[in-house]
Amino acid sequence: MCIRDRLSSLLPVCVYEPRTLLDRLAELYAYVPALLQPIIDIQDPLEKMKSVMTWVIASMHLGISQYMPFTPTLGETLQGKLKDVEVCAEQISQSPLISAFMLMGKDICINATHRMQAYAYPNSVEAVLYGKKVVQVFGVCPATYYITNPLIEVKGMAFGKRIFKYSGQIIIEDTVNELYGVIVINPVKKGLFANLFGDKKHRADYIRGFITKERRVLEEPERVIYKESGHLSVCEGHWIDSLFFDGKVVWSVDAIQPEELKRPKNKMLSDSTLRLDVQALKRGDEKEAQRIRGLFNSVQREDRKLRRRGVMLKK
């Protein structure tokens, strides 16, 4: 039986990495300066959409870890810079887990509210990231993109080989120019996709996508995905290392490096790096990290009870 909000349960600290979910999510934006910011000078809406899809696919390998991040506390924050792009984030809800992000650069703004729902099984964890990224581009050809998120699964949490993988689809909607990008992850997994996209020798990180002007992809994605022709552009590759658009290489993991998030020297007291359990785990003191994390969970449970009681009294 799956259990909701499992990220806040007391799993052994050995399955965690010394950072919180805010830091993990922030890493997904490390390609913004190299792949996304240059689109402000592109005038062709189709080429813009290609660049946005390239950024989305290239960023997928950045969030990979065989360990779980710590659950952010309510009000926890993150600040930093990716070159000249300002990054700000805050944990605005504890149950459910909701993280709000804003990135501001020259002629570009990204807003995202990620609601994380985790389901724990005996040897795996599945995560659904609800909400969309909203990318606003100003410059010579303004556009606004709404981007959905794929499903996440980590197997081997208790025993066996630990495997991280994505599944499902990513849909990108350009509301200004009425273009729609669709990315299908590991399409050969299902029979209909296998018949459409080829044999079953593809790697698990194989992706295929396309750009279309058919709006019905938002309501009936399967009908449009199964079409073999009529797309404005087609891409394929592997989200771990490479991507091709219409047979041309547009991204290679060795050719384009992600930007490291630079954190400010003077941090807010709510900054994610100042958490005591994170610092203890960085030192390698798992016992102390487990103890502090237990205290955090107790305080947060009591806080939720008080908030629920306050809501009931108001009613």
Side-chain angles (χ1 to χ4, degrees):
M1 182 177 69
C2 62
I3 303 174
R4 294 189 176 189
D5 299 324
R6 198 59 177 177
L7 286 178
S8 60
S9 65
L10 273 177
L11 291 173
V13 76
C14 62
V15 304
Y16 285 82
E17 59 184 342
R19 61 177 180 171
T20 72
L21 181 62
L22 286 181
D23 298 270
R24 172 82 73 85
L25 293 173
E27 189 177 353
L28 296 175
Y29 297 97
Y31 273 123
V32 168
L35 294 177
L36 192 59
Q37 209 168 16
I39 72 172
I40 63 176
D41 298 320
I42 300 175
Q43 298 188 31
D44 184 354
L46 180 60
E47 293 300 319
K48 275 184 180 288
M49 176 62 83
K50 289 181 183 180
S51 295
V52 173
M53 291 177 69
T54 301
W55 168 66
V56 170
I57 294 168
S59 300
M60 290 171 66
H61 82 278
L62 298 175
I64 294 177
S65 175
Q66 295 184 340
Y67 293 90
M68 294 175 61
F70 281 102
T71 304
T73 57
L74 184 64
E76 188 173 306
T77 59
L78 175 148
Q79 291 176 282
K81 293 189 72 172
L82 295 167
K83 280 194 173 181
D84 60 342
V85 178
E86 296 280 352
V87 182
C88 299
E90 181 179 354
Q91 190 68 22
I92 60 175
S93 175
Q94 183 66 28
S95 182
L97 288 172
I98 303 179
S99 308
F101 275 77
M102 174 177 280
L103 287 82
M104 292 287 294
K106 183 179 181 297
D107 289 333
I108 193 165
C109 177
I110 304 173
N111 287 282
T113 302
H114 301 295
R115 179 166 72 88
M116 174 70 76
Q117 187 77 50
Y119 301 88
Y121 299 92
N123 194 39
S124 64
V125 174
E126 291 182 357
V128 183
L129 202 59
Y130 296 100
K132 297 180 179 180
K133 300 184 188 76
V134 181
V135 178
Q136 293 177 285
V137 181
F138 306 102
V140 295
C141 181
T144 300
Y145 304 91
Y146 292 85
I147 306 168
T148 64
N149 300 293
L151 303 176
I152 302 169
E153 183 179 4
V154 182
K155 294 184 177 180
M157 295 300 298
F159 56 86
K161 183 182 292 186
R162 193 167 293 174
I163 300 173
F164 181 105
K165 68 175 184 178
Y166 291 106
S167 61
Q169 306 164 7
I170 301 172
I171 296 180
I172 305 170
E173 179 185 5
D174 177 356
T175 56
V176 175
N177 301 292
E178 297 184 343
L179 289 175
Y180 307 93
V182 177
I183 301 165
V184 186
I185 303 168
N186 196 14
V188 295
K189 186 176 182 181
K190 296 182 179 180
L192 285 172
F193 282 138
N195 293 334
L196 175 60
F197 293 140
D199 57 40
K200 298 184 179 181
K201 296 180 180 179
H202 292 303
R203 290 162 22 188
D205 64 332
Y206 175 69
I207 61 95
R208 187 171 174 91
F210 59 86
I211 302 173
T212 180
K213 290 190 74 69
E214 295 190 46
R215 181 177 174 77
R216 62 173 178 161
V217 73
L218 301 178
E219 293 80 24
E220 301 176 291
E222 290 82 6
R223 282 178 169 268
V224 180
I225 289 170
Y226 296 152
K227 289 180 58 177
E228 295 188 32
S229 61
H231 302 318
L232 301 177
S233 185
V234 175
C235 68
E236 68 174 342
H238 300 89
W239 54 261
I240 287 180
D241 55 33
S242 59
L243 179 67
F244 296 79
F245 250 108
D246 303 317
K248 180 182 177 182
V249 179
V250 292
W251 169 70
S252 171
V253 70
D254 296 323
I256 303 176
Q257 299 300 314
E259 190 70 23
E260 182 181 354
L261 181 67
K262 302 294 184 181
R263 307 295 284 265
K265 292 182 178 180
N266 299 320
K267 301 181 179 69
M268 296 176 63
L269 294 178
S270 56
D271 193 87
S272 61
T273 59
L274 300 181
R275 281 182 49 155
L276 297 179
D277 51 356
V278 170
Q279 293 180 349
L281 190 57
K282 281 184 177 180
R283 296 194 305 267
D285 192 344
E286 292 187 359
K287 185 176 180 179
E288 179 66 4
Q290 186 78 50
R291 185 188 70 81
I292 297 172
R293 186 164 172 271
L295 293 175
F296 278 172
N297 277 270
S298 298
V299 170
Q300 290 176 83
R301 280 194 295 269
E302 290 301 316
D303 183 66
R304 284 197 294 270
K305 289 180 183 178
L306 291 173
R307 290 175 184 275
R308 284 196 293 265
R309 190 180 305 167
V311 171
M312 292 174 65
L313 289 174
K314 287 182 180 180
K315 291 182 179 179

